Amino acid sequence: MDLNTQTVAAGRGRAFAMKAGDHVRIVNTHGHQVVDAWALAAEDAGETSSMDHTRSVNSNIFFQQGMRVLSSRRRPMLTLVADSAGLRHDTLLCPCSRELYQQLGCAEPHRSCTDNFHEALAEAGCAVPFTPASLNLFMNVPVSPDGAVDRLPPASRAGDSVVLRAEMDLTLVLSACPQDITPINGEARTPRDIAVVMIDAFDGEEAP
Amino acid sequence: MDLNTQTVAAGRGRAFAMKAGDHVRIVNTHGHQVVDAWALAAEDAGETSSMDHTRSVNSNIFFQQGMRVLSSRRRPMLTLVADSAGLRHDTLLCPCSRELYQQLGCAEPHRSCTDNFHEALAEAGCAVPFTPASLNLFMNVPVSPDGAVDRLPPASRAGDSVVLRAEMDLTLVLSACPQDITPINGEARTPRDIAVVMIDAFDGEEAP
């Protein structure tokens, strides 16, 4: 693990500052971990990643290599420049939340991607009074012709990764999803760490 | 037109107060008009309709009769109790915005559903510092197996309507979409009025 590698602990969130042109590799270290992702413009945290504008500009409900994440002001924020598993990442479903876990029957408070988002922002000295829809990296949500969504374990394997390029100065927030009631993070229902590598010079190769 | 009928003017927005249990009929008077819709909890405008939670709870990317609109706190806000045309309403695409019209080549400022949302709220003495994803009633956005979205004129005809029941006290915001560059509001590319009827006693029938 090189000096540029950082960890997002299982079930936790973390914020990363990126400059326009920076690349970040997000490594699914253990294979089946969903990573909820958001971006906020450095110059104004009220300009956030927007899944509805993202689907509109990509004219697609999934997020795949070559596509961009758009902001709430319709500006490019991130581009998916590499994806070792060639996945269709999810743009459709909400980040998990305390209310979702209550509805799943959890009597005790349960960590959630929504809380991770706000906690990670607070640690970065930032706050927004709402929760944007998340880009759900590695999350496997096929859609039937009648519009029904399924929720399957990720199709990725240990070491699979994606590379995102920042298209503006921004704060990237990642949450290693704490969902352990359903198999969305794999049949083992065990949230795992992910690795985050800030890449100095990305050459487009899928180097390990 | 009875005394309970109100109009949302072509290309404009309007807010309506509803109590839990109230029904509202939204009439596509001229046939092919998309109506962007949002709801805000009466007790806290920060709790808004959420398309990502709506898709999650309905397990579907479309919005059809019998489905509910969920809030950002995962509480039921609205139920689609009647739909004369049996449509698949859109939950996927963003409300149009000033930036979208700039990107479509409009040199002059253009009215938008996003601005209509904030203007209608301001007229109701309310404000939120973000734009939730909209429920796009009558909007015809089929999705291909590869996830590609199309944008077709509405399949509704003059007089078609939907009935929504409020599941909590809320502010309903409707925008008669001002889009006149693309045919999303019909091949005539002419935004039209819609009619809004607050129903005293809804009996489940599709009375005209």
Side-chain angles (χ1 to χ4, degrees):
Chain A
M1 187 173 288
D2 69 37
L3 293 174
N4 288 329
T5 300
Q6 302 175 73
T7 299
V8 180
R12 302 274 165 167
R14 193 161 168 181
F16 301 86
M18 299 183 75
K19 294 286 186 188
D22 284 354
H23 291 79
V24 60
R25 184 185 302 275
I26 301 165
V27 185
N28 210 325
T29 311
H30 299 275
H32 304 301
Q33 179 61 48
V34 168
V35 181
D36 284 32
W38 297 263
L40 293 82
E43 66 187 29
D44 177 4
E47 180 176 5
T48 71
S49 48
S50 164
M51 288 301 101
D52 48 333
H53 284 281
T54 294
R55 286 186 293 267
S56 170
V57 167
N58 292 317
S59 287
N60 203 290
I61 64 172
F62 301 117
F63 189 70
Q64 296 174 269
Q65 189 167 334
M67 291 184 181
R68 287 179 163 183
V69 171
L70 272 285
S71 80
S72 48
R73 290 186 198 142
R74 226 169 160 84
R75 296 198 298 160
M77 301 190 92
L78 296 162
T79 304
L80 184 62
V81 296
D83 182 350
S84 66
L87 299 174
R88 289 179 174 178
H89 304 272
D90 176 64
T91 74
L92 300 166
L93 296 186
C94 53
C96 59
S97 62
R98 59 185 73 178
E99 296 87 357
L100 181 147
Y101 287 107
Q102 287 167 358
Q103 292 175 8
L104 285 173
C106 296
E108 299 296 315
H110 192 292
R111 296 198 65 80
S112 73
C113 287
T114 296
D115 287 346
N116 285 347
F117 168 74
H118 293 289
E119 286 178 18
L121 279 187
E123 287 167 12
C126 182
V128 292
F130 59 99
T131 307
S134 46
L135 170 64
N136 304 311
L137 295 168
F138 302 104
M139 189 158 149
N140 192 358
V141 179
V143 178
S144 301
D146 67 355
V149 300
D150 204 352
R151 296 158 170 95
L152 301 179
S156 44
R157 291 180 296 185
D160 272 330
S161 68
V162 295
V163 177
L164 295 167
R165 182 177 64 227
E167 304 296 351
M168 63 169 71
D169 297 354
L170 55 79
T171 303
L172 177 70
V173 182
L174 302 177
S175 170
C177 176
Q179 175 61 269
D180 54 4
I181 314 293
T182 76
I184 199 75
N185 289 312
E187 296 291 355
R189 294 172 164 76
T190 305
R192 299 287 193 184
D193 292 355
I194 58 166
V196 177
V197 189
M198 290 296 165
I199 306 171
D200 288 334
F202 182 69
D203 62 3
E205 296 300 317
E206 269 300 273
Chain B
M1 187 173 286
D2 69 35
L3 292 175
N4 288 327
T5 299
Q6 303 174 73
T7 299
V8 180
R12 302 275 166 167
R14 192 161 171 184
F16 301 87
M18 297 183 76
K19 294 287 187 187
D22 284 354
H23 291 79
V24 61
R25 184 185 303 275
I26 301 165
V27 184
N28 210 326
T29 312
H30 299 274
H32 303 300
Q33 179 62 47
V34 168
V35 182
D36 284 31
W38 296 264
L40 293 82
E43 65 187 32
D44 177 4
E47 180 175 6
T48 71
S49 48
S50 163
M51 288 301 101
D52 48 334
H53 284 281
T54 293
R55 287 185 293 268
S56 170
V57 167
N58 292 318
S59 288
N60 203 290
I61 64 173
F62 301 117
F63 189 71
Q64 295 174 271
Q65 188 166 334
M67 291 184 181
R68 286 179 163 182
V69 171
L70 271 285
S71 80
S72 49
R73 293 186 195 140
R74 224 170 161 84
R75 296 198 299 160
M77 301 191 92
L78 296 162
T79 303
L80 183 62
V81 295
D83 183 350
S84 67
L87 299 174
R88 288 180 173 177
H89 305 272
D90 177 63
T91 75
L92 300 166
L93 296 186
C94 54
C96 61
S97 62
R98 59 185 73 180
E99 296 88 357
L100 181 148
Y101 288 108
Q102 287 166 358
Q103 292 174 9
L104 284 173
C106 297
E108 299 296 316
H110 193 291
R111 296 198 64 79
S112 73
C113 286
T114 296
D115 287 346
N116 285 347
F117 168 75
H118 293 288
E119 286 178 18
L121 279 187
E123 288 168 12
C126 182
V128 291
F130 58 99
T131 307
S134 47
L135 169 64
N136 304 312
L137 294 167
F138 303 103
M139 188 158 151
N140 192 357
V141 180
V143 178
S144 301
D146 67 355
V149 299
D150 205 351
R151 294 158 170 95
L152 302 180
S156 43
R157 292 180 294 187
D160 272 331
S161 69
V162 296
V163 178
L164 294 167
R165 181 178 64 226
E167 304 297 351
M168 63 168 69
D169 295 356
L170 56 78
T171 303
L172 177 70
V173 182
L174 301 177
S175 170
C177 177
Q179 175 62 268
D180 54 4
I181 314 293
T182 76
I184 200 74
N185 289 313
E187 296 291 355
R189 292 172 165 76
T190 305
R192 299 288 192 182
D193 292 355
I194 57 167
V196 177
V197 189
M198 291 296 165
I199 306 173
D200 288 335
F202 181 69
D203 60 4
E205 296 299 316
E206 271 300 271

